[in-house]
Amino acid sequence: MTREGLRCRRETYCWGLCQAHATACTMWKRADPARTVEQWLATTKAQPREPLPQCPVLGCLREQADPVGLCGLHRTRWKTEHSGKKPFGDIGAWAAKQAPYVAMNAFSLAPLGDVLRLEFLYGLQQRDDRGGKIDPQAVRWAVKHLQDLPSLALADAVHKDPVRMGANSNGVAIIREVAWAVDVAFEGFRGIDPADKRTWDLVAVGVPSSASRNGRRRQAGKIDFNDFAQPWLRELTWEWARAMRPSSSDLGRNMRACKIASQALSQRRGGGMDPAALQFADMTAVAEAFRRLLKQDGTDISNKHRRDLLASFNDVLDFGRRAGLLDRMSGSFTRHSCHRIIADEANEDEIGKAIPESVIRQLDTHVDQLGAGFVYGLMRSQDVEAMFQAAYGILRDTGRRPLEVSSLRVDCLEAEGDGYSLVWNNRKGRRNRRRLPIPTDTAQYILEWRERRMRLSVPPRSKDYLFPAITNDSADPHLSSGNLGRAIRAWVDSIPVLHSEILSGNGTPLPFSRPLIYPYAFRHSYAQRHADAGIDLDVLRQLMDHKSVQTTMGYYKVSLKRKRAAVNTMRLHVIDRHGDPAPMPSSTAYEARSVAVPFGNCKEPSNIKAGGKACAIRFQCAGCGFYRPDPSFMPAVEDHIRSLKADREAARAMDAADFVVRNLDEQVDAFKDVVDRMRKRMDSLSPEERAEIEEASKALRKSRAAEAGRVLLPLTVIKREEADA
């Protein structure tokens, strides 16, 4: 309250009044509860009061509120602790060990002794320097449970063990980390270097983290250099680590490689103990151990991983020789070309893992649920959903790798005429600023999300990226591919039903295996979708940005079982040049008694023998009695009709002879008649039969595209006489 410019200086208790004035106002309101505080202030003669002394607890800014001389909070604590005890004891001594009143977002180290307070403060500073969180509530719990300890550095393990103190996991973590930081600093004070130990504390030694963008290590970890049977190898790995100070991933890989070699040498005569006795056969045994290496669960691993591990072991040996640590080692214990591990055949995109289009259509019906419940920093839930839905649309429609989508720039869209191109970086191939034509609908996903994203508050490091990171301290400055994968997996798991294309015995579709749906699989689906549509091999290679055409060809390959099923279906729908049915008696007859030419199959024996390269009438198939087309050739025939029409117009423009134009006219009419008759036969079939023929046609067209895409070596035939000369 205020009177004549003077304000009451006591602590606010209720209604903006101190406790004394609030009590007086309450007594006044009892006569008529409808009265207000403002009316009491207007009628009362009460005067502003001077402040009361502060609570004697160090750092507590609250006023004394009772005759004992404590604030209300500490009076309650005093009574609780001294309930039933007489005499009560010295309030001053009790207050000296109490924590002051602080808000929920603050803590105090006042209850700790002078030495312990400095130790605890140092430990918190070290935690903060590593980027760890400091939870005030956990710190208050830790302070309460350590306040009777004089020093962490001088305490034994039992007295500073947080497990015996309670079940507050965050508080336990604080105590453990502070105690660890104090122990490391105390060892440094006594001249002990953490790197001189044979068991390394990775944080104390300062081994940088490979997962952190700034290299700071947040997670604890240990490396034991005593895990080697051979003393020379134990010493070598330790000296290598001390000299090279590798990152955690390099250290872990090289340590694993050396342990594999140690185990292999232990099985040799002498156990590999004497480096001077090691021979070429011992190195061969080591290389063989890497060749046979399996995962811990017994499953196979790639040859590339085996080769990298063997190279890591050889790198450590090379260091030892250069550093003079292996002067006694025999020169024959070294790598040789016969120890090389051949890399696996490249399979860049794990061809064959495409998500069926029918499953993608089912996913699209639930796309509005993608991102629901996914916590992403301080971003609102509706913005998180919009971000992941935009990323899913780009994955599905562009076939880019997950990291390439999540790292798209804000300016990733370029308008070209009435269309758009996606500007992206091929992170795997190290080819930047690539351009991919995309549908307008896909561009709309990007435009809508970009407009929304520009209104959001994003971490400063993410300002140039379409999909921002969670925080400014994230390892990547953009959405991580891991978070994208987790969001999609959670979404897929939440969809009630997903049908596969496989039918059960009673004709109902079986459930689709959900683990097969992951971000990278949409790249396979994109490629398979274009291959099924008959896109030219070289065009698809450019769309996928593959270096090798062999990788792209894999999408055109059809399994033998599927091809046989397609042939068995198509052989019943073969016609002759007049449009009359000419079914093949078997699948073998379809493939063995004919040869695929551009516009159908041919039964002419000499042309079959020449692989379709010896047509006597120059592929005027529609006028040949050996011509056997089927529905799988309809797109090729229609393309040929358009080509013939273009040739006819060119011939007329060239004032060609009448027989040339007439020949082209008759070929157009003949091929059109073939197409019309096949289409008429297709229209007479049931929808199920037509769908079966269409699927078989896709399979056969893919098979032909793969065979046509084989690249032959440019060999020149030399006659024997020339070679002898």
Side-chain angles (χ1 to χ4, degrees):
M1 63 176 297
T2 305
R3 286 281 188 275
E4 299 177 0
L6 297 177
R7 183 176 180 82
C8 182
R9 298 174 61 188
R10 291 192 178 180
E11 189 177 276
T12 300
Y13 176 77
C14 172
W15 300 327
L17 305 174
C18 69
Q19 186 173 8
H21 289 135
T23 302
C25 181
T26 301
M27 299 296 294
W28 179 76
K29 284 169 61 66
R30 284 180 179 175
D32 183 1
R35 294 175 177 177
T36 64
V37 176
E38 289 74 16
Q39 291 174 344
W40 179 80
L41 289 171
T43 59
T44 186
K45 295 182 180 179
Q47 296 297 316
R49 302 193 178 196
E50 292 296 320
L52 293 172
Q54 285 187 350
C55 178
V57 174
L58 183 65
C60 184
L61 302 179
R62 304 186 71 179
E63 297 176 344
Q64 297 181 8
D66 66 343
V68 178
L70 298 172
C71 67
L73 172 71
H74 290 104
R75 177 186 59 188
T76 302
R77 291 182 183 174
W78 165 266
K79 289 183 176 180
T80 301
E81 291 185 20
H82 292 80
S83 177
K85 297 180 181 179
K86 290 185 179 181
F88 286 168
D90 184 9
I91 290 182
W94 178 87
K97 295 182 178 181
Q98 298 302 307
Y101 172 81
V102 292
M104 289 297 293
N105 62 342
F107 60 86
S108 173
L109 305 183
L112 303 179
D114 293 340
V115 175
L116 182 58
R117 187 183 306 130
L118 294 175
E119 290 176 334
F120 205 96
L121 182 61
Y122 172 78
L124 293 179
Q125 290 172 339
Q126 295 301 303
R127 178 179 175 86
D128 182 64
D129 185 58
R130 287 190 296 274
K133 288 178 59 178
I134 297 179
D135 180 6
Q137 190 173 7
V139 174
R140 288 198 296 270
W141 184 91
V143 168
K144 178 181 177 181
H145 287 78
L146 288 178
Q147 61 184 0
D148 295 330
L149 198 66
S151 169
L152 281 171
L154 301 178
D156 55 35
V158 175
H159 287 88
K160 61 184 178 183
D161 180 15
V163 175
R164 65 181 180 83
M165 300 177 183
N168 187 315
S169 58
N170 289 339
V172 167
I174 288 287
I175 293 176
R176 283 178 173 166
E177 186 162 359
V178 168
W180 168 87
V182 171
D183 288 343
V184 171
F186 196 51
E187 286 185 347
F189 171 75
R190 291 183 293 167
I192 301 174
D193 186 348
D196 290 339
K197 297 181 178 181
R198 294 307 175 101
T199 299
W200 275 14
D201 183 322
L202 299 184
V203 181
V205 175
V207 175
S209 171
S210 303
S212 174
R213 67 181 177 89
N214 54 16
R216 291 191 307 184
R217 172 170 291 280
R218 297 183 181 181
Q219 301 298 325
K222 292 185 181 297
I223 287 288
D224 191 353
F225 293 96
N226 296 311
D227 290 345
F228 300 97
Q230 298 78 16
W232 66 267
L233 188 53
R234 187 186 315 147
E235 189 75 15
L236 174 62
T237 53
W238 181 61
E239 290 291 353
W240 169 83
R242 293 182 67 206
M244 303 303 293
R245 293 300 174 99
S247 65
S248 58
S249 61
D250 292 341
L251 178 60
R253 183 181 61 252
N254 285 24
M255 287 291 290
R256 185 189 178 199
C258 290
K259 287 178 182 178
I260 295 169
S262 175
Q263 293 168 1
L265 290 174
S266 297
Q267 299 174 15
R268 303 287 295 171
R269 178 178 296 179
M273 296 295 179
D274 184 5
L278 296 176
Q279 300 297 322
F280 182 80
D282 297 305
M283 178 58 80
T284 302
V286 170
E288 189 61 26
F290 284 99
R291 287 196 183 97
R292 298 194 308 266
L293 186 64
L294 300 174
K295 294 182 180 178
Q296 291 183 350
D297 59 2
T299 57
D300 200 11
I301 60 177
S302 68
N303 275 356
K304 180 181 182 302
H305 188 53
R306 295 186 179 109
R307 184 177 60 183
D308 291 344
L309 287 173
L310 178 57
S312 297
F313 172 65
N314 284 317
D315 287 344
V316 176
L317 287 183
D318 291 342
F319 164 81
R321 290 189 171 97
R322 291 194 301 269
L325 301 174
L326 299 177
D327 291 342
R328 293 182 59 248
M329 179 171 284
S330 169
S332 61
F333 186 73
T334 186
R335 77 190 80 180
H336 186 268
S337 59
C338 67
H339 299 146
R340 184 180 60 198
I341 299 177
I342 301 175
D344 301 311
E345 183 178 350
N347 184 10
E348 179 180 329
D349 292 313
E350 296 178 312
I351 295 162
K353 295 189 176 181
I355 304 171
E357 293 300 312
S358 61
V359 176
I360 292 179
R361 288 192 292 270
Q362 295 175 67
L363 293 175
D364 290 344
T365 62
H366 298 277
V367 71
D368 57 327
Q369 302 171 18
L370 176 55
F374 196 98
V375 179
Y376 197 80
L378 300 178
M379 193 181 292
R380 297 181 305 170
S381 58
Q382 55 266 42
D383 295 327
V384 175
E385 294 171 15
M387 179 179 72
F388 284 120
Q389 289 166 19
Y392 164 74
I394 299 172
L395 274 175
R396 179 196 61 201
D397 296 346
T398 67
R400 300 310 92 182
R401 300 178 181 91
L403 182 58
E404 294 164 354
V405 171
S406 60
S407 62
L408 287 172
R409 298 272 178 167
V410 172
D411 58 350
C412 65
L413 207 59
E414 286 187 356
E416 295 183 351
D418 57 350
Y420 293 91
S421 287
L422 182 73
V423 181
W424 59 286
N425 294 331
N426 186 337
R427 303 283 289 270
K428 183 173 184 178
R430 296 181 177 86
R431 299 188 294 274
N432 294 335
R433 303 293 295 177
R434 314 297 286 174
R435 282 166 175 77
L436 176 75
I438 60 174
T440 305
D441 291 343
T442 309
Q444 195 62 33
Y445 293 142
I446 300 174
L447 292 171
E448 290 177 359
W449 164 247
R450 185 168 65 183
E451 181 180 356
R452 185 170 193 152
R453 175 235 178 276
M454 299 306 288
R455 298 195 298 267
L456 301 178
S457 176
V458 301
R461 293 177 63 229
S462 300
K463 63 183 181 65
D464 295 330
Y465 293 92
L466 185 64
F467 302 113
I470 294 182
T471 68
N472 205 48
D473 291 328
S474 299
D476 297 315
H478 49 74
L479 167 69
S480 70
S481 54
N483 278 327
L484 178 59
R486 281 187 283 274
I488 288 180
R489 282 194 295 273
W491 167 56
V492 170
D493 291 340
S494 69
I495 298 175
V497 179
L498 279 177
H499 294 303
S500 69
E501 296 179 329
I502 302 174
L503 300 180
S504 63
N506 58 10
T508 58
L510 294 173
F512 187 77
S513 178
R514 297 172 191 253
L516 298 179
I517 304 175
Y518 52 93
Y520 209 112
F522 290 100
R523 177 171 173 83
H524 312 324
S525 301
Y526 174 86
Q528 203 65 62
R529 186 184 311 138
H530 285 75
D532 289 343
I535 296 295
D536 183 73
L537 177 65
D538 192 58
V539 173
L540 182 56
R541 184 188 68 80
Q542 295 179 32
L543 291 175
M544 298 296 290
D545 204 33
H546 288 153
K547 281 186 176 181
S548 171
V549 72
Q550 299 298 324
T551 304
T552 314
M553 280 178 58
Y555 289 101
Y556 290 87
K557 294 177 181 177
V558 183
S559 68
L560 183 59
K561 180 178 178 181
R562 186 178 176 191
K563 182 179 178 181
R564 285 176 177 171
V567 169
N568 197 45
T569 298
M570 199 59 62
R571 70 180 179 82
L572 302 175
H573 300 278
V574 176
I575 63 174
D576 60 17
R577 74 182 184 90
H578 301 293
D580 297 326
M584 293 290 182
S586 65
S587 300
T588 304
Y590 182 93
E591 296 191 82
R593 300 182 186 176
S594 61
V595 63
V597 291
F599 321 118
N601 284 332
C602 178
K603 292 185 62 179
E604 202 279 318
S606 61
N607 199 25
I608 294 175
K609 186 176 181 180
K613 306 296 184 182
C615 179
I617 59 174
R618 299 184 300 279
F619 298 105
Q620 299 181 81
C621 300
C624 178
F626 293 104
Y627 182 44
R628 293 294 183 270
D630 60 58
S632 66
F633 287 98
M634 285 180 63
V637 175
E638 291 171 340
D639 286 343
H640 186 54
I641 291 173
R642 287 189 287 270
S643 177
L644 289 172
K645 288 180 178 179
D647 291 345
R648 182 179 62 189
E649 296 306 316
R652 287 172 176 169
M654 295 166 60
D655 194 24
D658 291 341
F659 75 88
V660 175
V661 178
R662 186 169 59 252
N663 176 266
L664 292 170
D665 280 335
E666 291 173 352
Q667 285 194 70
V668 169
D669 293 339
F671 277 112
K672 285 180 63 178
D673 186 57
V674 169
V675 171
D676 292 342
R677 289 177 182 273
M678 279 195 291
R679 188 169 285 119
K680 186 176 180 180
R681 285 177 57 82
M682 291 283 289
D683 292 340
S684 66
L685 300 174
S686 65
E688 293 78 11
E689 290 176 311
R690 283 200 300 272
E692 184 180 10
I693 292 173
E694 288 173 359
E695 287 301 315
S697 298
K698 289 180 182 179
L700 291 174
R701 285 197 291 269
K702 284 172 58 181
S703 177
R704 295 174 194 137
E707 293 170 359
R710 294 191 181 117
V711 179
L712 301 179
L713 295 175
L715 301 179
T716 302
V717 178
I718 302 177
K719 294 181 180 180
R720 178 170 293 276
E721 297 82 10
E722 297 175 352
D724 293 340

